[in-house]
Amino acid sequence: MAPQIVLVTGCSSGIGLAMVQRLARDPDHRFIIIATVIAMSEKNDLEAAVKDYIDKAVFIKEMDITKDGDITIVVESVINDHGRIDILLNIAGLSLIGIPENISREQVDKIFSVNVIGTIRLTQAVLPHMKEKQSGKIITFSSVAGRIGFAYIELYCASKFAVEGFFESLAAGVRAFNIRVCLVEPGPVKTGLWDFTVKQYTSHSNDDTIHAIDRRQLQNKVPRVRVEPVFEVDDVVDRVMLNCINADEPALRLLIADTNLAQAASDLTGEDGLQKLGLKELSEIE
């Protein structure tokens, strides 16, 4: 059987890099991976991690998903070289923490440009080729924050809620083409991005210029964030391989979360999330 052609974004670090490693080391050599980075200056860790597979199972390409020109060049080159794209793995993303009224227009534009618009535009570029072949998988990393709102990461949550809306709607229309959409919804994962998240919470909690209630809520949140259950990257990759990559007909959603988050995500009223995960700090400071 011919190897599956996998196009992956966000490969310079974290989950994206780990996914490329796992696919490249597949014992049955089932995959050819086109691993993209925002700039070739960002490829060093990826190149070192898969050095034995470069230009064999792994081909590194530069692609900034906020630039339509980059998307067109990469997708067309993959089709020209390999004839198809079997799996699209949308992993690239940004996080943003802050006091909601202090977030600048530039920051709003940036996070939506990457997390939402760029991800949608790449998917749009790949879809015609999958429809022509009437097969494919589109696996997109959302977040448990695409199901539940969290204080002080409102813009990140909003971007992931938008991702959920687009891909859930897309899934309903493309199954007739034998294309499966899978939304991966992890809780906190032990990556550089999570370390940055903890630092940002800590920094904002020490900001004397913000409202006292915001500051106290953040100060109550920081210890919880530091001890919050965090998944190992390999655990997430294992579950994506099992439930999305290897499954013939993957389910729309793959929630990777602890019990509290899973329960909050399943509560249709939204109150469970507010009580357990969101505004609990208010009662603690009154």
Side-chain angles (χ1 to χ4, degrees), residues 8-23 33 35-36 46 89-93 139-144 156 160 184-194 230-241 254 256:
V8 191
T9 68
C11 300
S12 61
S13 62
I15 295 172
L17 189 153
M19 281 297 319
V20 173
Q21 284 182 292
R22 181 66 56 83
L23 293 166
I33 307 103
T36 67
L46 172 62
L89 262 166
N90 288 312
I91 301 178
I139 302 166
T140 299
F141 271 72
S142 175
S143 169
V144 71
Y156 177 75
K160 292 302 185 179
V184 182
E185 301 169 335
V189 182
K190 193 179 293 184
T191 64
L193 187 63
W194 178 246
V230 179
F231 288 89
E232 298 289 340
V233 172
D234 286 344
D235 293 338
V236 174
V237 171
D238 286 344
R239 294 187 64 173
V240 172
M241 290 298 298
L254 173 60
I256 306 173

Side-chain angles (χ1 to χ4, degrees), residues 76-100:
E76 288 185 353
S77 72
V78 175
I79 298 300
N80 288 337
D81 292 343
H82 303 285
R84 66 192 189 283
I85 295 171
D86 297 301
I87 300 172
L88 171 61
L89 262 166
N90 288 312
I91 301 178
L94 299 176
S95 181
L96 180 62
I97 296 164
I99 308 302

Side-chain angles (χ1 to χ4, degrees), residues 8-169:
V8 191
T9 68
C11 300
S12 61
S13 62
I15 295 172
L17 189 153
M19 281 297 319
V20 173
Q21 284 182 292
R22 181 66 56 83
L23 293 166
R25 294 171 182 173
D26 182 72
D28 297 320
H29 311 290
R30 292 178 296 155
F31 308 104
I32 291 175
I33 307 103
I34 292 80
T36 67
V37 293
I38 192 171
M40 283 302 185
S41 59
E42 304 290 321
K43 72 175 183 176
N44 292 346
D45 289 345
L46 172 62
E47 204 165 43
V50 294
K51 61 183 179 181
D52 294 335
Y53 304 94
I54 296 292
D55 296 333
K56 299 171 186 175
V58 178
F59 298 85
I60 300 175
K61 292 185 180 293
E62 180 176 298
M63 181 173 67
D64 181 344
I65 61 171
T66 69
K67 297 178 180 178
D68 282 0
D70 282 14
I71 289 172
T72 299
I73 290 169
V74 169
V75 171
E76 288 185 353
S77 72
V78 175
I79 298 300
N80 288 337
D81 292 343
H82 303 285
R84 66 192 189 283
I85 295 171
D86 297 301
I87 300 172
L88 171 61
L89 262 166
N90 288 312
I91 301 178
L94 299 176
S95 181
L96 180 62
I97 296 164
I99 308 302
E101 63 269 30
N102 293 346
I103 303 296
S104 69
R105 174 59 185 264
E106 182 181 10
Q107 289 174 299
V108 174
D109 288 347
K110 184 175 182 179
I111 195 165
F112 271 82
S113 184
V114 175
N115 291 6
V116 184
I117 298 170
T119 300
I120 290 173
R121 292 296 287 160
L122 176 57
T123 302
Q124 287 179 305
V126 169
L127 267 173
H129 305 287
M130 288 188 172
K131 284 186 172 182
E132 183 181 354
K133 298 291 184 182
Q134 294 195 30
S135 68
K137 291 178 182 175
I138 299 170
I139 302 166
T140 299
F141 271 72
S142 175
S143 169
V144 71
R147 299 282 298 280
I148 310 166
F150 293 87
Y152 306 110
I153 58 169
E154 290 87 353
L155 270 299
Y156 177 75
C157 290
S159 71
K160 292 302 185 179
F161 271 67
V163 165
E164 293 271 337
F166 176 81
F167 285 97
E168 180 174 345
S169 303

